[in-house]
Amino acid sequence: MTETVKMHAFQAVNAALHQAMEEDPKVLVFGEDIADREGGGVTGATIGLSTKFGDQRVKSTPISEQAIIGAAIGAALAGYKPVAEIMLMNFTAVCMDMIFNHAAKLRFMSGGQSTVPITIRTLTGAGWQTAGQHADHLEGWFAHTAGIKVVAPSNPADYKGLLLSCIQDPDPCIIIESAGTLFIPGDVPVDQGPIPLGQAKVVAEGTDVTIVSWSSMVVRSLQALAPLAEAGISVELVDLRTVSPWDRETVLKSVAKTGRCVVVHEAVRSFGPGAEIAATVNEELFGKLKAPVRRLGAPYSPVPFSKPLEDAYLVSVDTIVATVKEVVGK
Amino acid sequence: MAEQSNSPAPSTETLVDIYRRMIRIERNDDTIRKAMRLGKLIMPYYSARGQEVIPSTISSLLTNEDTICTIYRGIHDMVAKDMPLRPLWAEIAGRVDGTCKGKGGPMHLTHPETGVMVTTGIVGSSMPIANGLGWAAQLDGSKRVSIAYFGDGASNIGAFHESLNLASLWKLPVIFVCQNNGFAEHTRYENGTSVDFISKRAIGYGMPGFTVDGNDPWAMYAAAYEAIRRAREGEGPTLLECKTFRFLGHVLGDDDKYMTKEEKAAAIAKDPLPAFRARLLAEGHATEDQLTKMQADIQAEVDDAMEFGLASAFPSVAELRRDVFATEIPA
């Protein structure tokens, strides 16, 4: 048996950052409030780093998102591996030029001469009454941009392994830390190493229907498994882990087996990543599907403040259960 | 205009070198425009004719280790930095032998061997990235400097303000070089910028800021020398506002209706190239024969580059799948 330690997602992030900085002197960590002097980040994910690695490699920044990502890109062009924190995912809107026009495109536009191995860590997720500008799940924005990898873990072991891979990856990566996964402890192998990007994980095996999900909605989908089992439905749950590039092979293999597919994500359903997955499944498996592919996501609305509205905004366990039952016909 | 008292005057050798870079820019620009008129090159072109002194003087103080981040009106910055012209021409023609295999084009040239790290088509975006290159130089413990070239319009976008603040806070070896040609696209300076001198904005970020006659190589040399010295010695960033004029409008072919014929004619009458040449000769820094031969040699280099670039093949369609990521993406 592998020795494991129980920890929360942000302890796993902290462990990954410590490990990456120890292993490679080119790894830099910076962002708003991230040094120990400022408290080691709003969630404590960077606690201890500046004390251990010094204030040259670990730097708190002003509230200047364009400057943060620009500095990450420039340092990366000169051979460093910067891990930049954009405190909340909505704030990536402030530095979208640097991410979308520069980080994601410099390799291509330079004909492969420039390499931008930056990692952007960012936090989001509804459920904490932070309302319209602090809680959007925006993986679709980034997945739609050629040249940036989009990673969305659901449990502490994956947080550690996927972050290590993002840091080592030669291309820009954004890793979404989601509120819905924050306070659920998990077992992390003591020797947890990098988990390859672009590889989904089959969390539960089943035969009747495939649920494809990632990030916070894997947590809810897991909660739906027991009531669905009670209803006599065998679910295969695929945690995508990397939204772009996504693991088509694992998803298609699973849906080919079950004949049914429900995609569940926290992002707004309209034009969301679920549409891409559903369309691909339809294109590849049309003749083998026993039911239309369904997508569950947030309504076409900004994230609300009021608690009952916010509860209604997020896909619930009950909705997952009811939708899967419909798809299976039970 | 700030006084620059402690900087040495440029030597004869340096003055001739600055002139060489200026002629290289001017001959290259002229030949690009000819090729466009003849239909041999089809591209958006933002001529920097009239702005030759600024990057030529700065580049005379730089090595290939020093980096520049420049903008869509930046081919003169690259030529001044001694980027080889053959891959430059192949790139602006969209050919496989270009600096970027034809995938960047005239607004996105990159050539790390000569320190041309980023060319951006987004106004103001050279500055945040130049900071990162400066930060890397600082972390490496090297004396490299990082130059951010931009226009006067760029000093009004958020990236300018964020970048100056961060560079000053972290004492980065970055020189922010504003090539102030008086127009942001079609908008006259005073209709878009709240201060009479962009250099004044440096005060707000705790760094030195100077307004320099960007068409005067001696003034430019003094200002650039001091800014580069400061950066190399760890004293932090400088903002240089270099006043100049663009002779050929915003994008080649625009009708210049936003400026008066008189002001354009007056600027062209003060063309820095013949003025500099006359002074080099008058002060005995060079002979007529020497400069004439230099110009002929440079024209031959440009002609060769044009021929090379236009003869190069177009990239294969398979290039669409390459360089998106380090690993080729599936078809």
Side-chain angles (χ1 to χ4, degrees):
Chain A
M1 281 293 285
T2 317
E3 197 190 335
T4 62
V5 186
K6 201 166 275 295
M7 60 174 79
H8 286 102
F10 283 97
Q11 293 166 307
V13 169
N14 188 267
L17 292 173
H18 269 96
Q19 190 172 318
M21 293 198 81
E22 268 163 20
E23 286 171 357
D24 186 349
K26 292 288 189 185
V27 175
L28 311 172
V29 173
F30 69 125
E32 293 156 16
D33 292 347
I34 63 101
D36 290 334
R37 186 180 65 192
E38 283 78 31
V42 278
T43 59
T46 53
I47 276 177
L49 291 169
S50 65
T51 302
K52 183 161 181 189
F53 298 102
D55 59 9
Q56 287 302 303
R57 289 179 66 197
V58 184
K59 278 177 115 67
S60 280
T61 65
I63 300 174
S64 303
E65 283 81 10
Q66 291 192 70
I68 292 168
I69 301 301
I73 294 168
L77 291 174
Y80 285 87
K81 293 179 184 168
V83 184
E85 179 175 317
I86 297 297
M87 190 182 282
L88 292 173
M89 194 164 206
N90 286 77
F91 310 162
T92 61
V94 179
C95 52
M96 208 56 170
D97 170 50
M98 281 294 129
I99 302 174
F100 167 79
N101 282 317
H102 295 90
K105 294 178 183 168
L106 287 179
R107 178 187 292 282
F108 186 86
M109 293 199 309
S110 70
Q113 293 179 93
S114 303
T115 179
V116 188
I118 68 170
T119 300
I120 302 168
R121 292 180 41 242
T122 194
L123 170 65
T124 196
W128 304 90
Q129 288 191 272
T130 50
Q133 295 174 347
H134 286 66
D136 279 306
H137 248 273
L138 300 171
E139 61 268 40
W141 282 13
F142 297 96
H144 192 66
T145 302
I148 183 163
K149 295 176 183 173
V150 185
V151 178
S154 68
N155 64 80
D158 285 359
Y159 266 91
K160 185 176 178 196
L162 291 167
L163 177 55
L164 287 170
S165 283
C166 288
I167 296 169
Q168 290 174 6
D169 197 88
D171 290 304
C173 298
I174 184 163
I175 181 163
I176 303 166
E177 298 169 358
S178 178
T181 64
L182 287 185
F183 299 108
I184 302 162
D187 292 325
V188 179
V190 171
D191 60 354
Q192 177 68 62
I195 293 170
L197 303 182
Q199 286 188 14
K201 184 181 181 186
V202 178
V203 177
E205 290 191 23
T207 53
D208 295 326
V209 57
T210 301
I211 294 179
V212 181
S213 192
W214 55 90
S215 188
S216 63
M217 287 298 140
V218 171
V219 175
R220 295 222 167 162
S221 297
L222 278 167
Q223 290 166 354
L225 293 187
L228 287 168
E230 272 174 38
I233 297 171
S234 166
V235 175
E236 182 141 302
L237 175 57
V238 177
D239 181 350
L240 211 53
R241 304 200 289 194
T242 304
V243 178
S244 178
W246 65 285
D247 186 350
R248 292 160 56 109
E249 197 179 329
T250 297
V251 170
L252 292 173
K253 191 175 153 203
S254 174
V255 181
K257 179 176 80 174
T258 61
R260 299 178 183 92
C261 181
V262 178
V263 187
V264 189
H265 60 57
E266 183 171 331
V268 169
R269 200 181 87 120
S270 307
F271 302 95
E276 172 69 19
I277 295 165
T280 304
V281 170
N282 281 332
E283 283 166 0
E284 300 292 326
L285 298 173
F286 182 68
K288 292 178 184 163
L289 290 174
K290 296 170 190 161
V293 182
R294 291 285 298 272
R295 292 173 291 147
L296 294 177
Y300 183 70
S301 148
V303 181
F305 171 73
S306 179
K307 195 62 189 160
L309 294 181
E310 193 189 37
D311 287 345
Y313 179 86
L314 283 170
V315 175
S316 67
V317 175
D318 288 347
T319 304
I320 299 171
V321 170
T323 306
V324 170
K325 280 181 177 171
E326 267 176 48
V327 167
V328 179
K330 286 195 177 177
Chain B
M1 302 271 168
E3 287 294 317
Q4 296 288 333
S5 53
N6 297 325
S7 312
S11 66
T12 286
E13 193 189 359
T14 301
L15 288 167
V16 173
D17 180 57
I18 294 169
Y19 186 72
R20 175 187 67 81
R21 292 173 202 266
M22 287 170 59
I23 287 294
R24 203 159 170 259
I25 293 167
E26 190 270 337
R27 285 293 87 211
N28 194 61
D29 175 85
D30 186 69
T31 311
I32 286 175
R33 287 187 282 115
K34 265 188 200 140
M36 290 179 73
R37 275 200 305 277
L38 294 171
K40 291 180 181 174
L41 269 182
I42 297 165
M43 63 178 192
Y45 185 55
Y46 305 87
S47 169
R49 186 65 193 88
Q51 301 185 194
E52 292 86 355
V53 170
I54 301 162
S56 296
T57 311
I58 290 171
S59 296
S60 77
L61 289 156
L62 301 178
T63 72
N64 281 349
E65 297 292 300
D66 297 312
T67 57
I68 67 169
C69 293
T70 184
I71 62 162
Y72 56 89
R73 191 187 313 285
I75 288 181
H76 64 318
D77 302 328
M78 304 161 204
V79 173
K81 196 78 172 49
D82 276 335
M83 184 195 265
L85 298 184
R86 278 183 161 202
L88 185 154
W89 271 83
E91 187 60 32
I92 64 178
R95 309 304 169 100
V96 72
D97 294 309
T99 56
C100 310
K101 298 193 262 182
K103 291 154 85 165
M107 286 198 268
H108 306 296
L109 287 116
T110 300
H111 195 257
E113 295 93 85
T114 47
V116 180
M117 300 307 286
V118 173
T119 304
T120 178
I122 309 290
V123 168
S125 290
S126 56
M127 290 175 270
I129 301 175
N131 271 351
L133 288 157
W135 186 25
Q138 192 181 58
L139 287 161
D140 288 344
S142 88
K143 298 275 186 193
R144 293 197 310 270
V145 301
S146 167
I147 309 284
Y149 286 118
F150 55 99
D152 41 301
S155 82
N156 296 322
I157 92 152
F160 169 89
H161 301 276
E162 290 193 15
S163 299
L164 266 66
N165 182 60
L166 191 81
S168 181
L169 190 68
W170 291 3
K171 282 199 172 306
L172 298 177
V174 179
I175 298 133
F176 297 96
V177 181
C178 175
Q179 303 192 26
N180 181 353
N181 59 31
F183 292 89
E185 300 197 355
H186 296 201
T187 300
R188 189 174 283 279
Y189 178 88
E190 56 271 27
N191 294 331
T193 304
S194 60
V195 280
D196 50 358
F197 291 101
I198 285 170
S199 60
K200 283 184 180 174
R201 289 183 166 166
I203 298 165
Y205 302 103
M207 73 172 74
F210 301 106
T211 297
V212 193
D213 180 349
N215 288 353
D216 175 349
W218 285 266
M220 267 308 301
Y221 186 86
Y225 184 94
E226 173 59 11
I228 292 168
R229 184 203 63 75
R230 275 177 49 78
R232 292 205 202 283
E233 289 177 17
E235 293 173 27
T238 302
L239 171 62
L240 293 183
E241 177 191 20
C242 312
K243 297 292 266 301
T244 184
F245 199 90
R246 54 174 207 217
F247 292 172
L248 291 156
H250 172 53
V251 66
L252 201 66
D254 84 20
D255 58 9
D256 284 4
K257 275 188 180 150
Y258 45 82
M259 59 174 73
T260 66
K261 281 185 183 134
E262 293 73 28
E263 72 181 320
K264 185 174 169 175
I268 292 173
K270 288 191 288 181
D271 188 336
L273 266 153
F276 187 34
R277 183 186 170 106
R279 194 167 156 192
L280 283 181
L281 295 174
E283 292 184 5
H285 296 293
T287 64
E288 190 78 50
D289 286 353
Q290 189 187 349
L291 298 187
T292 304
K293 180 175 184 316
M294 179 193 281
Q295 177 161 339
D297 289 348
I298 287 171
Q299 185 65 60
E301 183 197 6
V302 173
D303 289 342
D304 165 76
M306 177 180 74
E307 207 171 301
F308 173 86
L310 296 177
S312 172
F314 286 104
S316 83
V317 175
E319 281 298 330
L320 283 172
R321 289 183 275 109
R322 294 187 191 128
D323 308 322
V324 175
F325 291 123
T327 314
E328 187 168 330
I329 57 168

